[in-house]
Amino acid sequence: MTDSFIARTGTALGATLVGVALLALPGIAPAQDTASQPGDNADNQPGQPLNTPAKAEGPAAEAIAARLKGMNASNEQLKGLKAFYKNNGYVPTWFDADGTPRDNARAYFSAIPHLDEQGLAPASYRNPTLQDVVSGETPVESPEALARYDVALSQQFVALAHDLHSGVIDDPAIHVQWQEPNEPVDYQDVLARAADGQVEDIIAGLAPQQPEYQQLKRALARYRQIADDGGWPQIPEGEVLREGMKDPRIAILWTRLQATGDAPDGQSAPKAYDDTIMSAMKHYQTRNGLKVDGLLGPSTRDALNVTAAQRIDEIKLNMERWRWMPASFGDRYIAVNVPAFELDAYDANGQNLDMNVIVGGSYNDRETPIFGDSMQYLVFRPYWNVPPSIAADEIVPKQRDNPNYMASKHYQIVANFGPDAQPMAITPANVNAVAAGDLLVRQDGGPDNALGLVKFIFPNDMAIYLHSTSAQQLFDRTDRDLSHGCVRVEDPVALATFALNGDPSWSRADIDHAMHTGGRKRVDLPESIPVYLQYWTAFVDDDTVNFRADLYDHDDELDSALKSKAAIDL
């Protein structure tokens, strides 16, 4: 074993986890003295007066104070760590003053193997040198060595606290920043409780407590057991299996379905492709977002042949996403799971709602962005303000081919998108101005409007919103990534009723009337409603583990980021 620590770099995962500034063991240069001099405010919290560092008493405390003086508090973990030691008189946290490891240090290393239950990589938090010191294989030979080890273990612990509570990946291109961010970790408190011997409780408490995360945690354990038991068989290629057919693949398929609980255990495979196996197949297809026909076609076979190890990785990726989420969504909120093409509206009083949606296409930069905001109002019989690119690329060519096209579709040329903008004549000159970007196109409200008869506005810089649609037949499709980025809802009356709940002047009948008669009408909500456009490719619903295709390759991006970090850590 080499007597060194490997720096952990990358995003602010402890941004320098056990990072080379941690331990100046043989072969590694000691940390530079970049800390502020006594008398400045380097170790104080905001708003505290300037003072000198607390006096360290004893060789171990003096060595820790000297070591911390040479460390630049470059992130919140290190700031909290330095403040903790200062407030604690620089006494060791994980060792006695004579270098004897404490029970909390042993508890930390005992907990590391169980981090995989949280979807984390234990190797990222198990430093071999520290482990040897704590186990007694490597003696602590001086106060300076004790300081190196104690501070390093504290850094490793606060990095774990960060990752478990807030997520391993901080890259804003991947890690979604929600409108109500998760509460930050109090690193001083974490270390104080660790010093008090509460290591296991801290780890359990820092993990997300939402039921959805805990359900994924249980699903991870289940799929790990399946993998340990040998996984499941691969289904060979062949013709589509339909009702009444006989095929040697039926026995293999039955075993595969039993492995994940889609077919009952202890029951022999049917001799033919009958109702029993078709029922099991429909259950599998439903929880995997496939066309539910009970047949073994190419798409279903491909999904069945995804290995248990791959499913484990998918669960872990979605557990990481849960670490980015706020601890609570509030008493009322709307959540869209983009890869599942589903919307759920939740109310603490039990007035819940779910429906199918259509989301942005997985092509031509039409993806629905993953973000959150607050719904503030809705608009009945809205104008559709056509994005200039769509107007120039799609509408103008059709108008040039057919001079009646824009009028027949109720498109108007306007100078701006204000609600009072006056329509201009649809002349060749004005159409050319639209093509040049000098004029704009909107579609008048009504049954032919692309936005349908109502849109739900949560103001944002991307002009993304929920809306109805006149093309209701599209909701019959299994894969519904068909829009330009906004989200089309299947039951706009139900969603408007949910949104306007609490406003006695808007009954369901009133909403239906406003959608089908009159002109454009804006209605402010009684209270704003948080809206979350989310990306879950693994989730649990009614105790059933569900998987969805990685619609926008976000899983691949997150997996690559995690593997890159792991490659640096090891």
Side-chain angles (χ1 to χ4, degrees):
M1 184 189 75
T2 58
D3 194 16
S4 63
F5 284 88
I6 299 177
R8 185 173 189 171
T9 60
T11 62
L13 156 88
T16 47
L17 168 64
V18 184
V20 225
L22 319 192
L23 289 177
L25 295 176
I28 297 182
Q32 296 299 311
D33 185 359
T34 56
S36 304
Q37 296 301 311
D40 65 22
N41 197 31
D43 293 329
N44 286 303
Q45 297 304 298
Q48 291 185 348
L50 300 178
N51 61 5
T52 57
K55 182 179 180 181
E57 296 183 357
E62 290 172 357
I64 289 174
R67 178 150 192 85
L68 291 174
K69 181 181 177 182
M71 294 175 60
N72 185 18
S74 57
N75 57 55
E76 293 304 314
Q77 290 100 305
L78 292 180
K79 289 177 183 176
L81 182 150
K82 294 186 77 173
F84 162 75
Y85 274 106
K86 175 189 170 185
N87 294 338
N88 206 35
Y90 299 102
V91 300
T93 300
W94 308 93
F95 298 87
D96 291 332
D98 63 359
T100 303
R102 293 179 180 169
D103 288 344
N104 61 347
R106 287 185 285 271
Y108 171 75
F109 281 100
S110 295
I112 288 176
H114 300 287
L115 294 178
D116 64 354
E117 299 170 8
Q118 305 285 355
L120 296 177
S124 295
Y125 310 95
R126 184 193 295 114
N127 188 285
T129 301
L130 279 178
Q131 189 166 13
D132 285 351
V133 172
V134 171
S135 68
E137 293 185 25
T138 299
V140 179
E141 297 180 339
S142 67
E144 290 72 26
L146 187 153
R148 292 197 299 271
Y149 298 141
D150 202 83
V151 172
L153 190 44
S154 291
Q155 283 189 262
Q156 191 157 334
F157 193 69
V158 296
L160 169 60
H162 170 275
D163 294 358
L164 190 56
H165 179 77
S166 305
V168 176
I169 300 301
D170 283 340
D171 182 353
I174 298 174
H175 179 143
V176 179
Q177 304 295 324
W178 297 102
Q179 69 268 39
E180 296 178 4
N182 204 352
E183 287 293 324
V185 178
D186 184 339
Y187 296 108
Q188 293 188 60
D189 179 67
V190 163
L191 287 170
R193 292 170 60 204
D196 197 36
Q198 303 178 44
V199 171
E200 295 91 341
D201 291 343
I202 294 170
I203 291 174
L206 284 170
Q209 301 302 305
Q210 295 99 327
E212 296 88 347
Y213 178 89
Q214 298 299 326
Q215 289 167 343
L216 282 176
K217 181 182 174 184
R218 291 190 289 272
L220 178 62
R222 179 185 170 195
Y223 273 75
R224 280 208 169 108
Q225 185 61 57
I226 293 172
D228 290 343
D229 291 341
W232 48 68
Q234 297 287 290
I235 311 300
E237 293 184 6
E239 63 180 311
V240 175
L241 289 183
R242 303 177 185 275
E243 188 173 8
M245 293 177 64
K246 293 185 176 181
D247 191 292
R249 291 175 296 163
I250 291 175
I252 302 172
L253 176 60
W254 188 254
T255 300
R256 166 63 187 87
L257 293 170
Q258 285 180 319
T260 46
D262 298 287
D265 286 332
Q267 185 173 328
S268 300
K271 300 298 182 183
Y273 204 77
D274 61 7
D275 287 344
T276 302
I277 196 167
M278 289 185 70
S279 176
M281 283 288 284
K282 288 178 180 178
H283 183 269
Y284 177 84
Q285 290 168 332
T286 298
R287 70 183 187 84
N288 283 272
L290 302 167
K291 182 179 180 181
V292 182
D293 55 14
L295 308 182
L296 178 63
S299 296
T300 299
R301 189 183 71 85
D302 288 346
L304 287 162
N305 284 342
V306 174
T307 67
Q310 289 172 288
R311 293 305 191 196
I312 288 169
D313 286 343
E314 291 170 17
I315 293 171
K316 289 163 62 177
L317 293 174
N318 285 273
M319 291 176 75
E320 168 69 6
R321 290 192 179 106
W322 272 107
R323 289 188 273 269
W324 307 342
M325 300 301 300
S328 172
F329 298 138
D331 291 338
R332 300 186 80 236
Y333 65 95
I334 295 168
V336 175
N337 184 3
V338 172
F341 313 114
E342 294 176 351
L343 177 149
D344 291 283
Y346 296 92
D347 189 302
N349 295 321
Q351 298 174 344
N352 298 332
L353 180 68
D354 62 83
M355 66 183 69
N356 293 328
V357 298
I358 293 168
V359 302
S362 55
Y363 53 90
N364 295 342
D365 296 323
R366 294 183 174 185
E367 298 179 3
T368 295
I370 308 304
F371 76 109
D373 220 307
S374 293
M375 184 183 295
Q376 298 179 8
Y377 64 94
L378 52 82
V379 180
F380 292 113
R381 300 179 71 83
Y383 295 126
W384 177 37
N385 296 326
V386 181
S389 60
I390 296 177
D393 297 341
E394 300 181 23
I395 295 176
V396 166
K398 292 177 181 178
Q399 174 64 23
R400 286 171 173 167
D401 290 340
N402 175 9
N404 293 320
Y405 173 77
M406 291 184 66
S408 69
K409 299 295 183 180
H410 305 287
Y411 286 118
Q412 303 171 346
I413 297 177
V414 291
N416 60 71
F417 283 147
D420 298 324
Q422 295 300 307
M424 303 169 67
I426 303 176
T427 64
N430 285 342
V431 170
N432 290 339
V434 170
D438 296 327
L439 291 176
L440 302 170
V441 173
R442 76 180 180 194
Q443 191 177 34
D444 199 11
D448 296 327
N449 188 282
L451 302 185
L453 297 170
V454 60
K455 66 178 180 178
F456 305 82
I457 304 300
F458 40 104
N460 58 83
D461 294 338
M462 295 168 282
I464 297 295
Y465 42 84
L466 312 179
H467 65 90
S468 61
T469 177
S470 58
Q472 285 292 117
Q473 73 280 2
L474 296 179
F475 291 104
D476 294 332
R477 297 191 183 185
T478 301
D479 296 325
R480 296 187 293 275
D481 54 321
L482 306 169
S483 81
H484 285 82
C486 288
V487 178
R488 307 175 195 171
V489 300
E490 184 177 30
D491 191 345
V493 175
L495 185 59
T497 302
F498 177 90
L500 290 168
N501 181 45
D503 188 336
S505 63
W506 285 99
S507 67
R508 189 179 179 95
D510 294 326
I511 291 169
D512 189 77
H513 184 265
M515 289 173 61
H516 292 93
T517 60
R520 178 185 182 276
K521 183 178 182 65
R522 168 175 166 160
V523 180
D524 293 334
L525 302 186
E527 293 182 354
S528 62
I529 303 173
V531 178
Y532 299 88
L533 304 185
Q534 302 170 330
Y535 198 89
W536 306 118
T537 53
F539 56 95
V540 179
D541 186 18
D542 293 330
D543 295 324
T544 300
V545 184
N546 288 255
F547 296 98
R548 293 295 185 268
D550 184 16
L551 186 64
Y552 299 151
D553 296 328
H554 290 347
D555 276 5
D556 287 345
E557 295 167 0
L558 178 55
D559 186 54
S560 295
L562 288 168
K563 286 178 178 176
S564 296
K565 183 171 291 296
I568 293 171
D569 293 339
L570 297 176

